């Protein structure tokens, strides 16, 4: 059974701080890695995609992938209260279906 | 920016009735998906669809479920005889090609009474 694991949280950070969200996956053959943001009662919204080892930056967001450790993370710099949401890690293996983790709830307090 | 659109936003149905959930994927996308999310649980894959046929389905997607792309734009999920445990948010997603990000619609909340 291919699994994606995330700490459910909540992760509480003060406004302006860096939030660090982590995810591990079980299938060593996983190919594509995505971070989605989901506000309560809403649909997943794509934040970042990453395909190769290393860092990928987009604005305040940085995704980090380490395939040897089967680990992917998301850093959010200068966290804002509007970043408060559940962050979903999703992975694909040999097919394009997304395998989601349970998500980490992030709370950014003023 | 192009969006995946889903209708209805909320569907309430009696147990045993048939429901059809509708999706209009982004126009140049070639791969289509249905996922569901039971309240408080993770998003789960149901089915993928490419080139007018199912490419993969999960264990959840049993004989009560079917998908169709009846014309060039709509993509539908039918549940033939709904059960209480089918109550969930159903999300449609589409992508341009293999390994590309999937974009999700706003979802249909299905409530089975």
């Amino acid at each position: 059974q291919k699994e994606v694991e995330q700490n459910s949280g909540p992760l509480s950070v003060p406004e302006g701080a860096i939030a660090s969200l982590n995810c591990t996956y079980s299938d060593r053959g996983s190919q594509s890695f995505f971070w989605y943001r989901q506000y309560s009662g809403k649909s997943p919204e794509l934040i970042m995609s990453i395909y190769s080892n290393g860092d990928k930056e987009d604005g305040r967001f940085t995704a980090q992938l380490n395939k040897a450790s089967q680990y992917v993370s998301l850093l959010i710099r200068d966290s804002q209260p509007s970043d408060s949401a559940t962050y979903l890690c999703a992975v694909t293996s040999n097919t394009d279906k997304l395998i989601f983790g349970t998500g980490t709830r992030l709370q950014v307090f003023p | 920016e192009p969006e995946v659109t889903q209708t209805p936003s909320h569907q309430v149905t009696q147990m045993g009735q048939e429901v059809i959930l509708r999706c209009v994927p982004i126009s140049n996308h070639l791969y289509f998906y249905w996922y569901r999310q039971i309240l408080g649980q993770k998003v789960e894959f149901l089915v993928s669809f490419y080139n007018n046929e199912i490419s993969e389905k999960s264990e959840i997607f049993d004989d009560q479920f079917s998908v169709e792309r009846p014309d060039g734009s709509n993509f539908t999920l039918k549940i033939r005889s709904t059960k209480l445990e089918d109550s969930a948010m159903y999300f449609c997603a589409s992508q341009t090609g293999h390994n590309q990000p999937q974009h999700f619609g706003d979802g249909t909340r299905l409530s089975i009474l």
Side-chain angles (χ1 to χ4, degrees):
Chain A
Q1 181 83 349
K2 297 170 185 174
E3 299 281 346
V4 175
E5 300 288 340
Q6 295 181 258
N7 188 321
S8 60
L11 172 67
S12 292
V13 300
E15 185 174 356
I18 295 174
S20 178
L21 304 157
N22 304 314
C23 170
T24 58
Y25 57 94
S26 63
D27 182 8
R28 190 167 286 280
S30 296
Q31 298 182 6
S32 308
F33 307 86
F34 304 93
W35 283 100
Y36 286 84
R37 177 174 64 198
Q38 187 175 34
Y39 293 110
S40 182
K42 302 296 185 182
S43 64
E45 174 193 4
L46 180 71
I47 298 295
M48 293 283 289
S49 58
I50 187 165
Y51 302 94
S52 54
N53 281 329
D55 295 1
K56 180 181 177 183
E57 187 175 316
D58 183 1
R60 294 187 297 114
F61 300 97
T62 298
Q64 299 173 315
L65 175 61
N66 183 326
K67 289 188 177 181
S69 301
Q70 295 174 236
Y71 175 92
V72 58
S73 65
L74 179 71
L75 299 178
I76 307 174
R77 286 181 298 284
D78 188 24
S79 296
Q80 300 298 308
S82 57
D83 294 328
S84 298
T86 297
Y87 287 80
L88 309 178
C89 175
V91 168
T92 68
S93 293
N94 55 333
T95 70
D96 277 299
K97 76 177 183 198
L98 290 170
I99 302 167
F100 282 88
T102 52
T104 298
R105 190 156 63 95
L106 173 67
Q107 293 177 336
V108 182
F109 56 91
Chain B
E1 185 172 324
E3 291 182 341
V4 176
T5 56
Q6 290 186 243
T7 54
S9 56
H10 191 190
Q11 174 83 45
V12 181
T13 302
Q14 292 287 333
M15 188 171 61
Q17 296 296 304
E18 174 183 287
V19 294
I20 297 176
L21 310 182
R22 302 181 192 278
C23 170
V24 179
I26 297 172
S27 64
N28 64 337
H29 285 195
L30 301 176
Y31 296 75
F32 315 114
Y33 301 84
W34 285 100
Y35 293 85
R36 80 171 186 191
Q37 187 175 31
I38 295 170
L39 187 64
Q41 298 187 22
K42 65 172 74 172
V43 177
E44 300 175 287
F45 167 78
L46 292 178
V47 66
S48 57
F49 194 86
Y50 170 70
N51 203 24
N52 281 323
E53 60 183 23
I54 291 173
S55 42
E56 187 176 2
K57 57 185 180 180
S58 72
E59 291 176 357
I60 303 167
F61 194 90
D62 62 21
D63 291 346
Q64 294 301 310
F65 290 85
S66 62
V67 289
E68 239 187 359
R69 189 157 158 81
D71 51 41
S73 58
N74 290 286
F75 179 50
T76 62
L77 174 70
K78 183 194 291 188
I79 310 174
R80 258 180 280 282
S81 178
T82 50
K83 308 185 206 45
L84 293 176
E85 54 265 37
D86 293 327
S87 295
M89 282 288 286
Y90 287 80
F91 296 112
C92 174
S94 68
Q95 72 182 148
T96 53
H98 179 55
N99 271 344
Q100 295 304 302
Q102 294 178 27
H103 297 269
F104 283 73
D106 287 342
T108 293
R109 181 177 300 282
L110 179 62
S111 300
I112 307 300
L113 304 179

